[in-house]
Amino acid sequence: MDMDARTDRDGWSRRRFVGAMAGTAAVVTVPAPAAPPPDPAPVPRRRQAEPGPRPLYLGTYTSVEGGGKGVTVARYDPVSGAVTDAESLAEIPDPSYVTVHPDGHTLYAVDEREDGAVTAVRLADGQVLGSRSTGGSGPCHLSVHPSGRWLLSANYGSGSVAVHPVDASGAPGERTALVTHAAPAPGPGQQGPHAHQFITSPDGGHVLSVDLGTDTVYTYRLDTEHGTLTEVSQAHTRPGAGPRHLTFHPNGRYAYLANEVDDTVAVCAYDPRTGRLTVGEPQSSGASGDATNYPAQFVVTPDGGFAFLANRGHDSVARYAVEEDGARLRLLDTVPVDGDFPRQLALAPDGRLLFTANQRSGTVSVFHVDTGTGALSRAGEPFASPVVVCAVPL
């Protein structure tokens, strides 16, 4: 979500409309949190770019002036980074976040409305397979469990998380779980809980939800037979941080948290045995100057060597070196996105291209990533897409 979190935090709908309106290197050291547990997960091997154009799925807001028409699909060249040939895939209302099933056959989108829903689309022909209520308002994030059997969604407006089964066709079934974040009490200036993300840990043993309203990351155990949730721990930021998105290092022992409200980031230690997350000290987002800044999201390169942060307001990508096996971030520099309000980041599967969805300018910027240094260089002019808020390259 993208509201001006310092001035108006009472409702999910205000956040999207704020988003629709209208180089010197520094070193920042993040002390390592708790010592890592033994037996870390292996670092995945980097995937090579496939030849020829690849699909780039774009989520938009449809109910704002000049908005998009739902989910669109463009094509990008995995070598040059050029984006072309956008066309409509499915006219879903306000699909502000999209993701793709692990088997690559189905796309899922949130319908970010007061009566929130998740919708499945078959990629082969754009057929809508079905929609299901999330049981809450303003869903802003969703992900698919690695098993491919469960769809996880976060309702920003009602501060709840939901689970839906996924059938053999890829369609979502009736909801099996709905949990509202009732405790702790909302943070300073917040009127209630605001679930902003719902993801699976790299080890697959736990699912975690980031809540901006309660300054908390909740860890649950998902019953993979019945789709129910059991809370196992809570991790708290400092009051008023407004955590938004959590991104794991490939080794599964550390994660990086973007705090939207107080314009900071934090390194978190994660214990896959218990699901316990430990939030480190707040650190700089790299933003400077007079513009109010709202960190949006981290991505980490496939080899775990670099992390990138989207900065809305500063309109930049902060580039970090990842050190001490993931326990420390060192800020290298910030790179302008050549767009306005970078809502979301995504890396191509091989890690050689970085995409930013720039909401206010209605553009997608593409950067080449130097895999040795993490340096970013622009891959041509930004690609126009009305009120684009999510870009997913395959």
Side-chain angles (χ1 to χ4, degrees):
M1 310 290 286
D2 53 46
M3 84 170 193
D4 183 338
R6 290 183 176 82
T7 59
D8 185 355
R9 310 182 187 99
D10 345 20
W12 67 271
S13 60
R14 295 299 300 276
R15 297 171 61 82
R16 57 179 173 163
F17 290 113
V18 169
M21 292 161 48
T24 301
V27 175
V28 176
T29 301
V30 179
D39 302 320
V43 175
R45 296 173 63 184
R46 175 174 291 159
R47 294 171 57 184
Q48 297 298 314
E50 297 182 23
R54 303 288 299 152
L56 177 68
Y57 297 102
L58 304 174
T60 66
Y61 280 125
T62 63
S63 60
V64 298
E65 184 178 356
K69 297 186 180 299
V71 178
T72 59
V73 56
R75 299 287 170 179
Y76 75 94
D77 186 300
V79 177
S80 70
V83 180
T84 57
D85 302 329
E87 60 183 6
S88 175
L89 178 69
E91 294 189 4
I92 298 169
D94 289 321
S96 64
Y97 200 91
V98 301
T99 193
V100 175
H101 192 282
D103 67 12
H105 297 317
T106 310
L107 176 141
Y108 300 94
V110 295
D111 306 352
E112 193 186 317
R113 297 291 180 96
E114 182 65 31
D115 184 11
V118 290
T119 298
V121 180
R122 189 164 61 201
L123 292 178
D125 56 8
Q127 179 179 339
V128 173
L129 299 175
S131 294
R132 296 285 183 175
S133 170
T134 59
S137 63
C140 62
H141 184 269
L142 81 171
S143 62
V144 183
H145 188 267
S147 68
R149 295 180 55 204
W150 304 102
L151 186 63
L152 314 173
S153 58
N155 293 309
Y156 175 80
S158 51
S160 58
V161 292
V163 180
H164 291 82
V166 175
D167 69 19
S169 74
E174 289 291 345
R175 191 175 60 249
T176 56
L178 179 66
V179 177
T180 299
H181 297 155
Q190 302 289 345
Q191 303 302 310
H194 293 309
H196 219 307
Q197 184 189 34
F198 199 18
I199 58 172
T200 305
S201 61
D203 59 276
H206 298 90
V207 291
L208 297 92
S209 177
V210 180
D211 195 298
L212 182 150
T214 63
D215 295 322
T216 300
V217 180
Y218 300 83
T219 300
Y220 299 92
R221 187 171 294 280
L222 172 68
D223 183 323
T224 55
E225 291 300 317
H226 303 98
T228 55
L229 297 171
T230 302
E231 184 179 313
V232 297
S233 69
Q234 296 181 5
H236 305 290
T237 66
R238 67 179 180 179
R244 175 186 174 92
H245 270 244
L246 184 78
T247 302
F248 277 92
H249 187 273
N251 68 19
R253 296 187 282 110
Y254 292 94
Y256 311 114
L257 187 62
N259 294 318
E260 174 178 323
V261 179
D262 72 356
D263 187 18
T264 65
V265 303
V267 176
C268 305
Y270 175 73
D271 184 345
R273 296 168 299 186
T274 64
R276 181 177 178 80
L277 193 78
T278 303
V279 180
E281 293 299 312
Q283 303 292 332
S284 172
S285 67
S288 60
D290 297 331
T292 302
N293 187 61
Y294 309 103
Q297 179 188 3
F298 272 106
V299 293
V300 183
T301 54
D303 64 3
F306 299 94
F308 304 106
L309 173 72
N311 279 317
R312 298 166 300 163
H314 193 246
D315 294 337
S316 67
V317 173
R319 183 173 64 108
Y320 296 85
V322 179
E323 299 175 338
E324 297 181 10
D325 294 326
R328 190 173 77 163
L329 293 178
R330 179 165 57 89
L331 180 65
L332 299 174
D333 57 17
T334 59
V335 178
V337 298
D338 197 20
D340 192 350
F341 225 64
R343 164 76 171 260
Q344 180 256 358
L345 295 179
L347 286 164
D350 67 351
R352 296 178 182 273
L353 292 174
L354 177 71
F355 299 79
T356 73
N358 308 315
Q359 180 176 354
R360 291 180 181 171
S361 56
T363 57
V364 176
S365 298
V366 188
F367 297 88
H368 293 287
V369 181
D370 186 308
T371 57
T373 66
L376 300 177
S377 57
R378 200 175 71 182
E381 294 299 314
F383 179 76
S385 179
V387 198
V388 61
V389 288
C390 188
V392 177
L394 296 189

